[in-house]
Each structure stands twice: as structure tokens, then as C-alpha cells.
């Protein structure tokens, strides 16, 4: 299969969802984006600040009319968590957790230019956005049910083993790069100052997910182009075209 990134270096990895996930969540709309050449520094700081502020303003406007739990994007993920046997107010999807913090504190913590941007886009769209350092992925990332043998590294450096049946982001070495689907990412593949090439994933389940995920990917592409000398490639995935390929390292 040709790489959707436009490169042909002979080494490719891929992102996909298992057939079980597509069967159980037919309303799923995933978007994937690959970019290389990311750095821990961007151009003038005001450019990034202005972009983040614009997304925060949109999020604040939506929260002025409804709490995060009332937004259709979040309600769809709450239903999904319930179907997975999780209490949705105990385990929240990443966008709900960010929106909750944003509503309470009025801002989000600043960690790394790319993470700051993706978090801002996530609250703007109320859609979970995950960012992975490609150099920390082995062969592929698949959203699937855990077997119980995978390992998950917390941001605190502790190792956990997701129970069998939990939906995780898993690679070929049995690393779980995210637990409880869109609840929490792993510290193993988190973006750091040395990160250069990234896989960004956005997933939605609400009625207008196809339109909104497409808009989110277009927005991210424009933002990345404005902050780094990159040429992002992206795709909306479907059951008939479930795989997104990109260069490995």
C-alpha cells in the first residue's frame, strides 16, 4: 500500500482501528494526521498565543451556553464509555477533561507548542485529540481490545497492565499508548522537546462527526503550516479504508 504521507523510504508504520471497534461503534469517525519537522520552538510567540486564544474563545463561547457534559460531542463519548462498562463521570474522554479544566480555571497549562495547540483545538471542537511521537511507536498503532498482556507507562513513570477487554492504543511490542480509548495517553510516546515526527489522531462519535473531524483536520493543517515548516498529510478513516500509513523511524 502506498504511503499516504507521500514519502517512499521503504519503512512505514500505520494507524488503524480493529474490526471489533468498527463493529461495536459504527458511528465512529476517526481522523489521522502525520507531520514531520516539529520542533520545541516556533516563530514569534505571539503567533502561537493568538492561535491558542482564538480556539479558547470559541470554547468559552460554547461553554457559556452549556456545560461540557451537555455538548453533543461529549455526550456521544459518555455513551461510548458506558457501553465499554466505564462510569463516564469517573473516566472522561480527553476533550471533556480539558473542557472541564478550562471552564474551572479559564485557561489550560502550557506544556509544548504542539501540545498547547492541539489542546486548544480539542477544546474548540470538543473532540479528543491525541498526539504521539512516531519515534516511540513500533510498527503500528491499533485501537483494539487489550489482551491483558500489554504494558502502559504513566507520566509518573509507573507501569500498568490494562485488563483484558479494555480499549487501548497498542503497538507491535504490546505497549499501550493510551488507556480506556480516549481517556489517558501514555508517557512513553508523549511529545517532548526532542520530538520531530508526530501522529495526531482525532475521533468523534456524534451525529455531525464526519463534518467536524474534517474541519478539525483542516484547521490543524493550517495551524501547523503557520507555525512550523511542515507539510502535514491527513485522512478520514472508514471501515472500508481503515488504515493510515506514514513513515517510520
Amino acid at each position: 500500500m502506498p504511503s499516504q504521507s507521500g514519502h517512499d523510504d521503504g519503512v512505514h508504520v500505520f494507524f488503524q482501528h480493529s474490526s471489533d471497534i468498527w463493529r461495536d461503534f459504527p458511528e465512529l469517525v476517526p481522523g489521522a494526521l502525520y507531520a514531520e519537522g516539529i520542533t520545541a520552538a516556533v516563530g514569534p510567540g505571539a503567533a502561537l498565543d493568538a492561535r491558542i486564544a482564538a480556539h479558547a474563545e470559541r470554547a468559552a463561547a460554547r461553554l457559556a451556553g452549556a456545560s461540557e457534559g451537555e455538548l453533543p460531542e461529549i455526550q456521544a463519548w459518555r455513551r461510548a464509555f458506558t457501553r465499554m462498562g466505564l462510569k463516564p463521570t469517573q473516566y472522561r474522554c480527553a476533550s471533556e477533561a480539558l473542557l472541564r479544566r478550562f471552564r474551572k480555571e479559564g485557561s489550560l497549562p502550557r506544556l509544548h507548542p504542539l501540545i498547547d495547540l492541539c489542546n486548544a483545538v480539542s477544546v474548540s471542537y470538543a473532540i479528543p485529540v491525541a498526539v504521539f511521537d512516531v519515534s516511540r511507536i513500533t510498527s503500528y498503532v491499533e485501537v483494539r481490545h487489550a489482551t491483558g498482556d500489554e504494558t502502559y507507562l504513566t507520566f509518573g513513570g509507573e507501569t500498568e497492565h490494562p485488563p483484558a477487554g479494555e480499549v487501548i492504543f497498542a503497538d507491535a511490542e504490546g505497549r499501550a499508548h493510551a488507556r480506556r480509548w480516549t481517556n489517558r495517553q501514555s508517557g512513553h510516546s508523549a511529545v517532548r522537546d526532542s520530538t520531530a515526527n508526530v501522529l495526531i489522531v482525532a475521533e468523534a462519535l456524534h451525529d455531525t462527526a464526519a463534518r467536524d473531524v474534517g474541519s478539525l483536520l483542516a484547521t490543524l493543517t493550517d495551524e501547523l503550516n503557520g507555525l512550523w515548516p511542515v507539510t502535514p498529510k491527513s485522512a478520514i478513516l472508514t471501515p472500508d479504508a481503515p488504515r493510515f500509513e506514514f513513515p517510520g523511524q
Side-chain angles (χ1 to χ4, degrees):
M1 180 183 294
S3 167
Q4 291 177 302
S5 70
H7 292 256
D8 188 18
D9 55 11
V11 179
H12 297 111
V13 294
F14 63 86
F15 170 77
Q16 69 178 20
H17 293 73
S18 71
S19 58
D20 288 351
I21 298 298
W22 284 112
R23 178 199 66 205
D24 295 343
F25 299 91
E27 68 273 34
L28 172 67
V29 179
L33 181 150
Y34 171 79
E36 54 187 41
I38 298 296
T39 62
V42 294
L48 175 62
D49 291 345
R51 293 167 192 272
I52 289 174
H55 293 297
E57 184 176 347
R58 182 184 179 210
R62 295 196 71 188
L63 291 174
S67 70
E68 64 276 4
E70 297 174 292
L71 299 177
E73 300 89 342
I74 302 305
Q75 289 182 336
W77 274 111
R78 285 191 174 191
R79 291 192 295 269
F81 274 48
T82 299
R83 285 157 65 185
M84 291 189 290
L86 300 171
K87 187 176 180 181
T89 54
Q90 179 180 4
Y91 298 110
R92 305 174 191 273
C93 75
S95 55
E96 179 177 0
L98 285 171
L99 280 163
R100 194 162 183 258
R101 182 166 185 172
F102 177 74
R103 174 174 54 80
K104 290 181 175 182
E105 301 179 8
S107 63
L108 294 174
R110 302 293 285 266
L111 305 168
H112 177 286
L114 178 61
I115 296 301
D116 300 343
L117 174 65
C118 287
N119 282 347
V121 170
S122 180
V123 296
S124 177
Y125 282 87
I127 291 174
V129 176
V131 189
F132 304 96
D133 184 328
V134 170
S135 71
R136 309 286 283 178
I137 293 170
T138 302
S139 300
Y140 61 81
V141 173
E142 182 178 43
V143 181
R144 61 166 174 81
H145 294 283
T147 64
D149 297 325
E150 295 87 0
T151 59
Y152 170 89
L153 183 69
T154 71
F155 278 86
E158 299 175 349
T159 298
E160 299 175 350
H161 297 279
E166 181 180 306
V167 178
I168 61 172
F169 281 57
D171 72 7
E173 291 193 357
R175 295 192 190 92
H177 292 276
R179 289 198 61 185
R180 305 179 195 92
W181 201 346
T182 55
N183 171 236
R184 190 170 296 277
Q185 288 185 233
S186 165
H188 179 79
S189 50
V191 170
R192 60 206 76 202
D193 286 353
S194 60
T195 297
N197 301 345
V198 295
L199 167 68
I200 301 176
V201 176
E203 297 160 292
L205 301 157
H206 59 288
D207 289 345
T208 59
R211 180 195 70 193
D212 296 338
V213 171
S215 175
L216 185 154
L217 289 179
T219 295
L220 264 182
T221 296
D222 289 344
E223 299 287 37
L224 292 173
N225 282 334
L227 293 169
W228 290 279
V230 299
T231 306
K233 302 296 180 182
S234 64
I236 299 287
L237 306 182
T238 67
D240 293 330
R243 181 176 292 192
F244 177 72
E245 288 196 2
F246 51 95
Q249 292 178 283

